[in-house]
Amino acid sequence: MIHVVGDLDVAGAPRLRAELEQVLTAADPLKVVLDLTEVPFCDSVGLGVLVATLNQVRRQRGRMILVLAPGMIRHLLTITNLDRHFETSDSLREAHASLADAA
């Protein structure tokens, strides 16, 4: 589980990318939960990191769940139609339960 705090933008996205690279190479089977409930803003660079991570997780036959609060990130995924591609959850408990049920 990765808990992200602050803007996911041109300044914050590279830090998240670096952290995700470590997680993606270490986990087997790959199950990633990204807690974005404390991310107030995401620009195209941040969205690119999320999409690239989802693609890598899928290539590795893994699973990724985004934990989202109501607000900008959820709206961004909806207006870009990415909500159809990302698995989302309203809480960490729900995300972990979903991963446990699938095991």
Side-chain angles (χ1 to χ4, degrees), residues 17-95:
R17 182 181 296 120
E19 193 168 338
L20 285 167
E21 285 173 1
Q22 292 179 344
V23 169
L24 296 177
T25 58
D28 186 33
L30 188 56
K31 294 179 182 177
V32 178
V33 175
L34 276 178
D35 181 354
L36 303 176
T37 56
E38 293 188 58
V39 176
F41 176 78
C42 180
D43 69 6
S44 61
V45 177
L47 192 57
V49 169
L50 296 177
V51 170
T53 302
L54 178 63
N55 288 335
Q56 185 171 352
V57 166
R58 286 183 174 170
R59 280 193 303 273
Q60 292 178 244
R61 299 183 189 270
R63 195 163 163 210
M64 181 170 87
I65 300 175
L66 304 180
V67 180
L68 304 173
M72 191 268 177
I73 306 294
R74 192 175 291 276
H75 180 69
L76 178 64
L77 294 178
T78 301
I79 64 172
T80 58
N81 285 322
L82 289 171
D83 59 332
R84 298 177 186 181
H85 300 280
F86 283 97
E87 184 175 356
T88 63
S89 175
D90 294 328
S91 71
L92 281 174
R93 178 184 295 168
E94 183 181 294

